[in-house]
Every structure is written in structure tokens, then in C-alpha cells.
Amino acid sequence: MNCFSGALSDPVFLVTASITALAIFTMTWTLRNQTFNGKLFYALTLIGVSWVLLTVGLEAASNDYSCQLQWATAAWLGNALIPVAWCYFVFSYVDNAPWVHKPAARAVMVIVPIAAVAFAATNPWHHLVYAEGTVIPDGGGQINYVHGPGFYLIIAVLYSFVAATLVCLARAFTRAKRDAWLMLTMLTKITITPLVMNAAYVGLGFTIFGLDPTSFMFTLGVLVFSWLLVINKTMDMATVGQSVLFDTMSEPVVLIDRQKNVVLANTAAKSRGLQNDTCPVLKDLRTTIEYFHTSDEATHLRIGQRDYEPRIQKVENPINPSGEGLGWSVTLVDITDRIAINASLQDALQQADEANRAKDEFVSVISHEMRTPLTSLKGGLALALSGHLGELTDHLKSSLEIAHRNGARLSRLIDHILLSQKMDIGALSLEHEPIVLGRLLEESLEENRSFAAERGVQLIQSTIDHSAVVNGDAFAIRQIVDNLMSNAIKFSNDDGVVEGALQITGGKVRLSIKDSGHGIPEGMEDHVFGRFEQVANSGQGSTQGSGLGLHISKQLARQMSGDITYESQVGAGTTFHVEFDLAMQLAEEETRIAG
């Protein structure tokens, strides 16, 4: 700690410490409040400057030769970091150069300062940085440095980064707009001034407080640049971006002051003649702008052959936001195509409605026309199969049974189509009465046993809560249960099991039908409940059906304030759930609403 003694009472150290504190404060404030390219390298530059200032101050405060040499050696870490970090900052800030972020470039920024301080630290062995004549002269207080060839080698390496920085800035001058020249000039001065001071120190022995003036001049330059970052908007993305956005946006934008004069118009507005107060369209708008700003009424302006919708935004006074505004920003949105598209959509919707009505009428007519002959056909086939028309051969009986089954399928399809059509147009009326759901489940299980036996499937009645009463249409609910039951039987494997269960949970009645089929893959909900769609059964191939059963069942359930969902695992089967509100719960809710 001997090399720190007396530092706090030394005026040179106090000055350098104060400048260092100012530099650190400036760096912290700038990094937190400003956005610009190269922030990391800017921070490293100021860190390097702060380090050099502290070590220079400590060197000035020391009276001992070894302490002074120690602080001079430590200063090389900052001396070498400053030109490298500043070079990277200028390339990043001015050119947005991608190479500064590459690993090799980052390695250079680490290696150069470490190599410089290592070379200086080993000087007692080789005397290449400071020659043997480096001593404190008689009667003097500071070391008189005699620079060796190693010193000039380090300086040459560091000057190469300064030269690269100046080349970058010169190239920027050739392409920059005039309003950016002030910023570029400041960056050039910050780069050149420490270089001149360092050259004066090395070549002429020029010092400040008897010390190397380079760090002092660089600190001053960086502080000025930091202030310039705050007040100059040349490279501010928000400011430049707003200007570019204003001038390049396709919609006309005009700014109108509180005296209702046009003060600014973008390129799109100027191209439509909206840049002055004599434009008839703007003249009408300006006289009624306060009304349009507060009105929800849709307004269209006609400019040439195009229609525009004015979108008006009040520009508040930043000093008195609640008082009178500075004016208005008016954006004219071209809605010509939107009006044309809306008209086309209206025509298309009308044509679609007409086509849909024609389709519904066609389906209704065809379905009803098919019902009568189909009923006669089914009746004739049933009569023939009963044997009342004479004895049938086995071959003929088999053919008639196939025809009868297909007739029954066709009849169900027509019923489904007509029912689906009624639900689509809201013409299906359902009853609303208390139903014991357990009884319907038991009846469905009993009546489907023969069908299950033909398929080699066993029906099992699991837990059934007979207190489960719901409000709905008995026929519609039975249709839902029968459809789920028949699907479970059809999609179960041979010697499979179909299980029916009924339970009450949280004011809801859940009826579940579980099969032992191959299951349904994930993400197939739209197919499962879609119209005329079926999920392929890998074990059975295509299963006969209209593809309307589950669609109709779900619509029926929803019309009775219920829903159908399912849980499935491929290879383990599927469980369909039908949920309704418990009748008692529903009654209490209706009473509460009525009250």
C-alpha cells in the first residue's frame, strides 16, 4: 500500500480523480439514456481513459522511483485499450461494420492491451520499453523516461488503429449529408487531438502537470462527444426514423396548426396537391376539423378519382397537455379499393345466400321426393323377407336382405341430411322437459345388445347415477346416445368391450361411452365432428356411415346447452363424453336470473 500513500493529498491526483469520476458518470448516464451503435466499445474507451487517468494521477502522487515505474507500467493497459476500442467504436458507429463483432476482432482488442502491459512489465529484463537511462534526475520529483525501441514499436501498433479510424472517418465524409458533418468533424477532432498531443509528448517532451497529456485531451474530447450525442440527432434512430417514415409513407399526411394553416406535408400529400391552404379539399377539412376530430361519423374525401378517410389526431401542447393543442395531424387513408372490395363482397354474399337457399331447397325437395318411393321400397322388401309373398330361396333371400339393409342406410342418410339442414337454418324445435338420463342409457345398452353381439362386442353397464336428471328433448338425447353407442360398437375390435357410465360432477351430468378400438390420433377434432367426414380406422378400413352422426349429435347437444367431447389414446380406445347441466342446478340458476 506504500505506492498509495499521500495520493489523497496530492492536487494532481485529486484533479485526475475528479476527471475520472466525471468520465465514469458521463459513461453511465450515456449508456443508460442513449441508444447508438458501438455502445460496448464506447464504454471500453471510457474505461481505458479512466484507468489511465487514475494511474497517471497515482504516478504523479508518488515520490518513489519504483512506485512511479509501477504506475507507468500499469497505465499501458489503458493506453493500449483506448485507440483499439475507439477504432472499433468509430467503425461500429459510423459504418456499422460487422467485422468488429467477430471473434478474431474481439481477440485483438484483448491481446493488444495485455501484450503492451506485459511488454512494459518485463522491461527490467530487456529495457526495450524504457532504456537504462530512465531515472529521477537530481532535484526532480518525476521520472525522466528514456524511450527504447520497444516503446516506439508499441506506439506504432497503436497508431495503426488511429490511422484506420481516420480512414473510416474520411470515407464517411465523402458519402455523408451535410447535416452529419458536425458529428463527423467532432469524431475526427477527438481522434486527431490525442494523437498530436502524444506526438508532442514523445517528440518534444510536452506535458501537463509534468505528465503525458494524451489521456487528458482524449477525456475532454469524449466528454464533448457524449454531450453531442444528447443534443445532436444526426444519428438518432428515433429522430431519423420518424423523418424517413413521415416522408416515405404512402398515405398523405399534413400537419395543421391551431390557426388551421398547413405547416407541413409529406411527399405523398404534396404529390396530390395538399401542401397549401388553397386546396379545396383541405379548405373544407380545415373549417370542420374540430368536429371531425371528436365525431365518430365516417367521413370520406374525394381527391381526383380516389376516396380517402381522414384520420385526425390532436397534437398536444407538451407544456400544457390538458389545454389547447398545438394543432392536428391528418392522415388520409386511401379507401378506394376497400370500398370497391366491400361492394364486391356484398354482391358475392348476396349471390352466396341465393345459391345457399337454392341448394337448401334442392336438398329438401330431393330428400322429400326420395322418402316416399324409399318407404314403399323398404316396405316391399320387408314384406318379401317376411315370407308372406312366398317362400324364398337362400340366394334370393340374401340379395333381398342386402337391398333392405342398404335401403335402411339410405333412409337414415336422408333423415340425417334433413335434420342437419333444419339445424343449420334454426328450424329445429326441441322439447325442454326433465329426463332421467340413466334410464335412456340403460335402454340404449339393452337395445344395442343384438347389434353388438353380431360384431362380437360385449356391452357393459358401469356406474350409473340414477339421480341424474337433465332438461332437454328425450328423443334428441336418445339419438345422441344411440349414435355414440353404435359408433363405439362399430369401431371396437373383435371380442372388444363397450362400456357405458353416468356420473354427476360439479353440477354437471356426464354420460360416457368407452370403446376398445384403435383410438383417434391427436388433432382430429375437426374431422371427428365435421360434416360428411370420418376418421379412418386402421384396423377396419372405411366404416360405413354418412359422416353426419357425430356432427348432428354435437349440434343437438349444444342446442340443449350441452356439449360432446372425447378422450383418446391410439391403441387404447376412445371415450366420448356428453355433458349437460344438472336439472336442479339449472333450475336454481334460472330462478337466480329471474330474481
Short mmCIF file of all heavy atoms in Angstrom, two decimals, residues 498-553:
data_model
loop_
_atom_site.label_atom_id
_atom_site.label_comp_id
_atom_site.label_asym_id
_atom_site.label_seq_id
_atom_site.Cartn_x
_atom_site.Cartn_y
_atom_site.Cartn_z
N VAL A 498 -67.58 -52.45 -24.89
CA VAL A 498 -68.09 -51.08 -24.89
C VAL A 498 -68.73 -50.84 -23.53
O VAL A 498 -69.59 -51.60 -23.10
CB VAL A 498 -69.10 -50.83 -26.03
CG1 VAL A 498 -69.75 -49.47 -25.85
CG2 VAL A 498 -68.40 -50.93 -27.37
N GLU A 499 -68.31 -49.76 -22.87
CA GLU A 499 -68.75 -49.50 -21.51
C GLU A 499 -69.51 -48.18 -21.44
O GLU A 499 -69.05 -47.16 -21.97
CB GLU A 499 -67.53 -49.45 -20.59
CG GLU A 499 -67.85 -49.22 -19.13
CD GLU A 499 -66.60 -49.17 -18.27
OE1 GLU A 499 -65.53 -49.61 -18.75
OE2 GLU A 499 -66.70 -48.71 -17.12
N GLY A 500 -70.67 -48.21 -20.80
CA GLY A 500 -71.46 -47.01 -20.60
C GLY A 500 -71.47 -46.61 -19.15
O GLY A 500 -71.64 -47.47 -18.27
N ALA A 501 -71.29 -45.31 -18.87
CA ALA A 501 -71.25 -44.83 -17.49
C ALA A 501 -71.95 -43.48 -17.39
O ALA A 501 -72.06 -42.75 -18.37
CB ALA A 501 -69.81 -44.72 -17.00
N LEU A 502 -72.42 -43.16 -16.17
CA LEU A 502 -73.12 -41.91 -15.94
C LEU A 502 -72.79 -41.42 -14.53
O LEU A 502 -72.94 -42.18 -13.57
CB LEU A 502 -74.64 -42.09 -16.09
CG LEU A 502 -75.49 -40.84 -15.92
CD1 LEU A 502 -75.22 -39.85 -17.03
CD2 LEU A 502 -76.98 -41.23 -15.91
N GLN A 503 -72.33 -40.19 -14.42
CA GLN A 503 -71.99 -39.66 -13.11
C GLN A 503 -72.26 -38.15 -13.05
O GLN A 503 -72.37 -37.49 -14.08
CB GLN A 503 -70.54 -39.94 -12.76
CG GLN A 503 -69.54 -39.37 -13.77
CD GLN A 503 -68.11 -39.74 -13.44
OE1 GLN A 503 -67.83 -40.27 -12.38
NE2 GLN A 503 -67.21 -39.45 -14.35
N ILE A 504 -72.37 -37.65 -11.82
CA ILE A 504 -72.62 -36.22 -11.58
C ILE A 504 -71.36 -35.62 -10.97
O ILE A 504 -70.85 -36.13 -9.97
CB ILE A 504 -73.82 -36.00 -10.65
CG1 ILE A 504 -75.09 -36.61 -11.26
CG2 ILE A 504 -74.02 -34.52 -10.37
CD1 ILE A 504 -76.29 -36.56 -10.33
N THR A 505 -70.87 -34.52 -11.59
CA THR A 505 -69.66 -33.87 -11.09
C THR A 505 -69.82 -32.36 -11.21
O THR A 505 -69.99 -31.85 -12.32
CB THR A 505 -68.42 -34.32 -11.90
OG1 THR A 505 -68.32 -35.73 -11.88
CG2 THR A 505 -67.15 -33.72 -11.29
N GLY A 506 -69.76 -31.68 -10.07
CA GLY A 506 -69.77 -30.22 -10.08
C GLY A 506 -70.98 -29.61 -10.76
O GLY A 506 -70.83 -28.67 -11.53
N GLY A 507 -72.15 -30.15 -10.52
CA GLY A 507 -73.37 -29.60 -11.11
C GLY A 507 -73.55 -29.98 -12.56
O GLY A 507 -74.45 -29.46 -13.24
N LYS A 508 -72.71 -30.88 -13.07
CA LYS A 508 -72.79 -31.35 -14.45
C LYS A 508 -73.07 -32.84 -14.46
O LYS A 508 -72.59 -33.58 -13.60
CB LYS A 508 -71.48 -31.08 -15.19
CG LYS A 508 -71.13 -29.61 -15.37
CD LYS A 508 -71.91 -28.99 -16.52
CE LYS A 508 -71.43 -27.58 -16.82
NZ LYS A 508 -72.18 -26.96 -17.91
N VAL A 509 -73.85 -33.27 -15.45
CA VAL A 509 -74.11 -34.69 -15.65
C VAL A 509 -73.27 -35.14 -16.84
O VAL A 509 -73.37 -34.56 -17.92
CB VAL A 509 -75.59 -34.96 -15.93
CG1 VAL A 509 -75.82 -36.45 -16.19
CG2 VAL A 509 -76.45 -34.49 -14.76
N ARG A 510 -72.42 -36.15 -16.62
CA ARG A 510 -71.56 -36.64 -17.70
C ARG A 510 -71.92 -38.08 -18.03
O ARG A 510 -71.82 -38.96 -17.17
CB ARG A 510 -70.09 -36.54 -17.31
CG ARG A 510 -69.17 -37.26 -18.27
CD ARG A 510 -67.71 -37.14 -17.93
NE ARG A 510 -67.17 -35.86 -18.39
CZ ARG A 510 -65.87 -35.61 -18.46
NH1 ARG A 510 -64.98 -36.55 -18.11
NH2 ARG A 510 -65.43 -34.44 -18.88
N LEU A 511 -72.32 -38.30 -19.28
CA LEU A 511 -72.58 -39.64 -19.79
C LEU A 511 -71.40 -40.02 -20.68
O LEU A 511 -71.04 -39.28 -21.60
CB LEU A 511 -73.88 -39.65 -20.60
CG LEU A 511 -74.38 -41.01 -21.10
CD1 LEU A 511 -75.91 -41.00 -21.22
CD2 LEU A 511 -73.79 -41.37 -22.47
N SER A 512 -70.78 -41.17 -20.39
CA SER A 512 -69.56 -41.57 -21.09
C SER A 512 -69.77 -42.91 -21.78
O SER A 512 -70.34 -43.84 -21.20
CB SER A 512 -68.38 -41.67 -20.13
OG SER A 512 -68.19 -40.44 -19.46
N ILE A 513 -69.30 -43.01 -23.02
CA ILE A 513 -69.32 -44.27 -23.79
C ILE A 513 -67.88 -44.56 -24.18
O ILE A 513 -67.25 -43.80 -24.92
CB ILE A 513 -70.19 -44.16 -25.07
CG1 ILE A 513 -71.61 -43.69 -24.72
CG2 ILE A 513 -70.20 -45.49 -25.81
CD1 ILE A 513 -72.40 -44.67 -23.91
N LYS A 514 -67.35 -45.69 -23.67
CA LYS A 514 -65.96 -46.04 -23.91
C LYS A 514 -65.88 -47.26 -24.80
O LYS A 514 -66.55 -48.27 -24.55
CB LYS A 514 -65.26 -46.32 -22.58
CG LYS A 514 -63.79 -46.70 -22.71
CD LYS A 514 -63.18 -46.97 -21.35
CE LYS A 514 -61.71 -47.35 -21.47
NZ LYS A 514 -61.10 -47.64 -20.16
N ASP A 515 -65.07 -47.19 -25.89
CA ASP A 515 -64.91 -48.34 -26.77
C ASP A 515 -63.53 -48.97 -26.58
O ASP A 515 -62.72 -48.48 -25.79
CB ASP A 515 -65.13 -47.94 -28.24
CG ASP A 515 -64.07 -46.98 -28.76
OD1 ASP A 515 -62.89 -47.11 -28.37
OD2 ASP A 515 -64.41 -46.09 -29.57
N SER A 516 -63.27 -50.04 -27.29
CA SER A 516 -61.98 -50.73 -27.21
C SER A 516 -61.38 -50.82 -28.61
O SER A 516 -60.89 -51.86 -29.02
CB SER A 516 -62.14 -52.12 -26.60
OG SER A 516 -63.12 -52.86 -27.30
N GLY A 517 -61.47 -49.69 -29.35
CA GLY A 517 -60.96 -49.65 -30.71
C GLY A 517 -59.51 -49.21 -30.77
O GLY A 517 -58.78 -49.27 -29.78
N HIS A 518 -59.13 -48.71 -31.94
CA HIS A 518 -57.74 -48.33 -32.18
C HIS A 518 -57.43 -46.91 -31.72
O HIS A 518 -56.28 -46.50 -31.72
CB HIS A 518 -57.39 -48.47 -33.67
CG HIS A 518 -57.33 -49.90 -34.13
ND1 HIS A 518 -56.19 -50.67 -34.04
CD2 HIS A 518 -58.28 -50.70 -34.65
CE1 HIS A 518 -56.43 -51.87 -34.51
NE2 HIS A 518 -57.70 -51.93 -34.89
N GLY A 519 -58.43 -46.15 -31.35
CA GLY A 519 -58.20 -44.79 -30.90
C GLY A 519 -58.16 -43.79 -32.03
O GLY A 519 -58.13 -44.14 -33.21
N ILE A 520 -58.16 -42.51 -31.67
CA ILE A 520 -58.17 -41.41 -32.63
C ILE A 520 -56.88 -40.62 -32.46
O ILE A 520 -56.54 -40.22 -31.35
CB ILE A 520 -59.39 -40.49 -32.40
CG1 ILE A 520 -60.69 -41.28 -32.52
CG2 ILE A 520 -59.38 -39.32 -33.39
CD1 ILE A 520 -61.91 -40.50 -32.11
N PRO A 521 -56.14 -40.36 -33.54
CA PRO A 521 -54.91 -39.56 -33.43
C PRO A 521 -55.22 -38.14 -32.93
O PRO A 521 -56.33 -37.64 -33.05
CB PRO A 521 -54.37 -39.52 -34.87
CG PRO A 521 -55.04 -40.67 -35.57
CD PRO A 521 -56.38 -40.83 -34.92
N GLU A 522 -54.19 -37.48 -32.40
CA GLU A 522 -54.36 -36.10 -31.92
C GLU A 522 -54.65 -35.15 -33.07
O GLU A 522 -54.25 -35.37 -34.20
CB GLU A 522 -53.09 -35.64 -31.19
CG GLU A 522 -52.85 -36.35 -29.87
CD GLU A 522 -51.64 -35.77 -29.15
OE1 GLU A 522 -51.14 -34.72 -29.59
OE2 GLU A 522 -51.21 -36.37 -28.16
N GLY A 523 -55.36 -34.08 -32.75
CA GLY A 523 -55.64 -33.03 -33.72
C GLY A 523 -56.68 -33.38 -34.76
O GLY A 523 -56.72 -32.77 -35.83
N MET A 524 -57.56 -34.34 -34.46
CA MET A 524 -58.57 -34.78 -35.45
C MET A 524 -59.97 -34.30 -35.08
O MET A 524 -60.95 -34.80 -35.63
CB MET A 524 -58.55 -36.31 -35.55
CG MET A 524 -57.23 -36.89 -35.98
SD MET A 524 -56.75 -36.40 -37.65
CE MET A 524 -57.98 -37.28 -38.61
N GLU A 525 -60.07 -33.33 -34.16
CA GLU A 525 -61.40 -32.89 -33.70
C GLU A 525 -62.29 -32.41 -34.84
O GLU A 525 -63.48 -32.70 -34.89
CB GLU A 525 -61.26 -31.78 -32.65
CG GLU A 525 -60.74 -32.25 -31.30
CD GLU A 525 -59.23 -32.41 -31.29
OE1 GLU A 525 -58.59 -32.09 -32.32
OE2 GLU A 525 -58.68 -32.85 -30.26
N ASP A 526 -61.69 -31.64 -35.77
CA ASP A 526 -62.48 -31.11 -36.88
C ASP A 526 -63.01 -32.23 -37.76
O ASP A 526 -64.12 -32.14 -38.31
CB ASP A 526 -61.64 -30.14 -37.72
CG ASP A 526 -61.33 -28.86 -36.96
OD1 ASP A 526 -62.05 -28.58 -35.99
OD2 ASP A 526 -60.38 -28.16 -37.35
N HIS A 527 -62.23 -33.29 -37.91
CA HIS A 527 -62.69 -34.43 -38.72
C HIS A 527 -63.76 -35.23 -37.96
O HIS A 527 -64.73 -35.69 -38.56
CB HIS A 527 -61.51 -35.35 -39.06
CG HIS A 527 -60.58 -34.76 -40.06
ND1 HIS A 527 -60.81 -34.79 -41.41
CD2 HIS A 527 -59.41 -34.10 -39.90
CE1 HIS A 527 -59.83 -34.20 -42.05
NE2 HIS A 527 -58.96 -33.76 -41.15
N VAL A 528 -63.54 -35.39 -36.66
CA VAL A 528 -64.47 -36.20 -35.88
C VAL A 528 -65.87 -35.60 -35.89
O VAL A 528 -66.87 -36.30 -36.07
CB VAL A 528 -63.95 -36.35 -34.42
CG1 VAL A 528 -65.01 -36.98 -33.53
CG2 VAL A 528 -62.68 -37.19 -34.40
N PHE A 529 -65.96 -34.27 -35.72
CA PHE A 529 -67.26 -33.62 -35.62
C PHE A 529 -67.63 -32.86 -36.89
O PHE A 529 -68.58 -32.09 -36.90
CB PHE A 529 -67.26 -32.63 -34.44
CG PHE A 529 -67.09 -33.31 -33.11
CD1 PHE A 529 -65.92 -33.15 -32.38
CD2 PHE A 529 -68.10 -34.11 -32.59
CE1 PHE A 529 -65.76 -33.77 -31.15
CE2 PHE A 529 -67.95 -34.73 -31.36
CZ PHE A 529 -66.78 -34.57 -30.64
N GLY A 530 -66.87 -33.09 -37.99
CA GLY A 530 -67.17 -32.41 -39.24
C GLY A 530 -68.33 -33.04 -39.99
O GLY A 530 -68.77 -34.16 -39.70
N ARG A 531 -68.83 -32.32 -40.97
CA ARG A 531 -69.93 -32.83 -41.79
C ARG A 531 -69.37 -33.72 -42.88
O ARG A 531 -68.42 -33.38 -43.57
CB ARG A 531 -70.70 -31.67 -42.43
CG ARG A 531 -71.37 -30.76 -41.42
CD ARG A 531 -72.11 -29.63 -42.09
NE ARG A 531 -73.20 -30.12 -42.93
CZ ARG A 531 -74.09 -29.33 -43.53
NH1 ARG A 531 -74.01 -28.03 -43.38
NH2 ARG A 531 -75.06 -29.83 -44.26
N PHE A 532 -69.97 -34.87 -43.04
CA PHE A 532 -69.61 -35.86 -44.07
C PHE A 532 -68.14 -36.25 -43.95
O PHE A 532 -67.47 -36.50 -44.95
CB PHE A 532 -69.89 -35.31 -45.48
CG PHE A 532 -71.33 -34.92 -45.71
CD1 PHE A 532 -71.69 -33.59 -45.77
CD2 PHE A 532 -72.32 -35.88 -45.84
CE1 PHE A 532 -73.01 -33.22 -45.96
CE2 PHE A 532 -73.65 -35.52 -46.05
CZ PHE A 532 -73.99 -34.18 -46.10
N GLU A 533 -67.64 -36.32 -42.72
CA GLU A 533 -66.24 -36.72 -42.51
C GLU A 533 -66.18 -37.85 -41.52
O GLU A 533 -66.98 -37.93 -40.59
CB GLU A 533 -65.41 -35.53 -42.01
CG GLU A 533 -65.26 -34.43 -43.03
CD GLU A 533 -64.15 -33.46 -42.63
OE1 GLU A 533 -63.04 -33.94 -42.36
OE2 GLU A 533 -64.40 -32.26 -42.62
N GLN A 534 -65.18 -38.71 -41.74
CA GLN A 534 -64.94 -39.82 -40.83
C GLN A 534 -63.44 -39.98 -40.65
O GLN A 534 -62.65 -39.66 -41.54
CB GLN A 534 -65.52 -41.13 -41.38
CG GLN A 534 -67.04 -41.23 -41.31
CD GLN A 534 -67.54 -42.60 -41.71
OE1 GLN A 534 -66.88 -43.31 -42.45
NE2 GLN A 534 -68.69 -42.98 -41.21
N VAL A 535 -63.04 -40.43 -39.46
CA VAL A 535 -61.63 -40.74 -39.20
C VAL A 535 -61.40 -42.18 -39.59
O VAL A 535 -62.11 -43.09 -39.15
CB VAL A 535 -61.28 -40.53 -37.71
CG1 VAL A 535 -59.82 -40.88 -37.46
CG2 VAL A 535 -61.55 -39.08 -37.32
N ALA A 536 -60.41 -42.41 -40.46
CA ALA A 536 -60.13 -43.77 -40.92
C ALA A 536 -59.73 -44.66 -39.75
O ALA A 536 -58.94 -44.27 -38.89
CB ALA A 536 -59.02 -43.75 -41.97
N ASN A 537 -60.29 -45.86 -39.72
CA ASN A 537 -59.98 -46.85 -38.69
C ASN A 537 -58.95 -47.81 -39.27
O ASN A 537 -59.23 -48.55 -40.20
CB ASN A 537 -61.25 -47.60 -38.28
CG ASN A 537 -61.02 -48.51 -37.08
OD1 ASN A 537 -59.91 -48.97 -36.87
ND2 ASN A 537 -62.06 -48.73 -36.32
N SER A 538 -57.74 -47.76 -38.73
CA SER A 538 -56.65 -48.55 -39.31
C SER A 538 -56.91 -50.04 -39.25
O SER A 538 -56.40 -50.80 -40.05
CB SER A 538 -55.34 -48.23 -38.60
OG SER A 538 -55.44 -48.53 -37.22
N GLY A 539 -57.72 -50.44 -38.34
CA GLY A 539 -57.99 -51.87 -38.23
C GLY A 539 -59.12 -52.33 -39.12
O GLY A 539 -59.17 -53.49 -39.53
N GLN A 540 -60.07 -51.44 -39.44
CA GLN A 540 -61.25 -51.87 -40.16
C GLN A 540 -61.38 -51.22 -41.52
O GLN A 540 -62.28 -51.50 -42.27
CB GLN A 540 -62.51 -51.53 -39.33
CG GLN A 540 -62.56 -52.25 -38.01
CD GLN A 540 -63.69 -51.72 -37.14
OE1 GLN A 540 -64.10 -50.60 -37.29
NE2 GLN A 540 -64.17 -52.55 -36.25
N GLY A 541 -60.46 -50.31 -41.84
CA GLY A 541 -60.60 -49.58 -43.09
C GLY A 541 -61.74 -48.60 -42.97
O GLY A 541 -62.02 -48.03 -41.94
N SER A 542 -62.46 -48.37 -44.04
CA SER A 542 -63.57 -47.42 -44.03
C SER A 542 -64.78 -48.05 -43.39
O SER A 542 -65.21 -49.13 -43.74
CB SER A 542 -63.88 -47.00 -45.47
OG SER A 542 -64.97 -46.14 -45.50
N THR A 543 -65.34 -47.35 -42.39
CA THR A 543 -66.54 -47.82 -41.71
C THR A 543 -67.76 -47.17 -42.33
O THR A 543 -67.78 -45.96 -42.55
CB THR A 543 -66.47 -47.47 -40.22
OG1 THR A 543 -65.29 -48.05 -39.68
CG2 THR A 543 -67.66 -48.02 -39.48
N GLN A 544 -68.77 -47.95 -42.63
CA GLN A 544 -69.94 -47.42 -43.29
C GLN A 544 -70.64 -46.41 -42.41
O GLN A 544 -70.77 -46.58 -41.21
CB GLN A 544 -70.91 -48.57 -43.63
CG GLN A 544 -70.35 -49.53 -44.71
CD GLN A 544 -71.34 -50.62 -45.04
OE1 GLN A 544 -72.32 -50.80 -44.34
NE2 GLN A 544 -71.07 -51.33 -46.12
N GLY A 545 -71.10 -45.34 -43.03
CA GLY A 545 -71.83 -44.29 -42.32
C GLY A 545 -71.89 -43.05 -43.18
O GLY A 545 -71.17 -42.91 -44.17
N SER A 546 -72.76 -42.13 -42.79
CA SER A 546 -72.95 -40.91 -43.57
C SER A 546 -71.91 -39.85 -43.25
O SER A 546 -71.73 -38.91 -44.02
CB SER A 546 -74.34 -40.33 -43.30
OG SER A 546 -74.44 -39.93 -41.94
N GLY A 547 -71.22 -39.96 -42.11
CA GLY A 547 -70.30 -38.91 -41.71
C GLY A 547 -71.02 -37.72 -41.09
O GLY A 547 -70.43 -36.67 -40.91
N LEU A 548 -72.32 -37.90 -40.78
CA LEU A 548 -73.11 -36.81 -40.20
C LEU A 548 -73.48 -37.07 -38.74
O LEU A 548 -73.91 -36.15 -38.04
CB LEU A 548 -74.40 -36.59 -40.99
CG LEU A 548 -74.28 -35.83 -42.31
CD1 LEU A 548 -75.58 -35.90 -43.08
CD2 LEU A 548 -73.91 -34.38 -42.06
N GLY A 549 -73.32 -38.31 -38.29
CA GLY A 549 -73.82 -38.68 -36.98
C GLY A 549 -73.26 -37.85 -35.84
O GLY A 549 -74.00 -37.27 -35.05
N LEU A 550 -71.94 -37.76 -35.75
CA LEU A 550 -71.33 -37.00 -34.66
C LEU A 550 -71.55 -35.50 -34.83
O LEU A 550 -71.68 -34.77 -33.84
CB LEU A 550 -69.84 -37.32 -34.57
CG LEU A 550 -69.49 -38.68 -33.96
CD1 LEU A 550 -68.00 -38.95 -34.05
CD2 LEU A 550 -69.94 -38.75 -32.50
N HIS A 551 -71.56 -35.04 -36.07
CA HIS A 551 -71.84 -33.62 -36.32
C HIS A 551 -73.23 -33.26 -35.80
O HIS A 551 -73.40 -32.25 -35.09
CB HIS A 551 -71.73 -33.33 -37.82
CG HIS A 551 -72.19 -31.95 -38.20
ND1 HIS A 551 -71.43 -30.83 -37.96
CD2 HIS A 551 -73.34 -31.52 -38.78
CE1 HIS A 551 -72.09 -29.77 -38.39
NE2 HIS A 551 -73.24 -30.16 -38.89
N ILE A 552 -74.21 -34.08 -36.14
CA ILE A 552 -75.58 -33.83 -35.69
C ILE A 552 -75.68 -33.95 -34.17
O ILE A 552 -76.32 -33.14 -33.50
CB ILE A 552 -76.55 -34.81 -36.38
CG1 ILE A 552 -76.67 -34.46 -37.87
CG2 ILE A 552 -77.92 -34.78 -35.73
CD1 ILE A 552 -77.46 -35.47 -38.68
N SER A 553 -75.02 -34.97 -33.61
CA SER A 553 -75.07 -35.17 -32.16
C SER A 553 -74.51 -33.97 -31.41
O SER A 553 -75.08 -33.53 -30.40
CB SER A 553 -74.29 -36.44 -31.78
OG SER A 553 -74.89 -37.59 -32.34
#
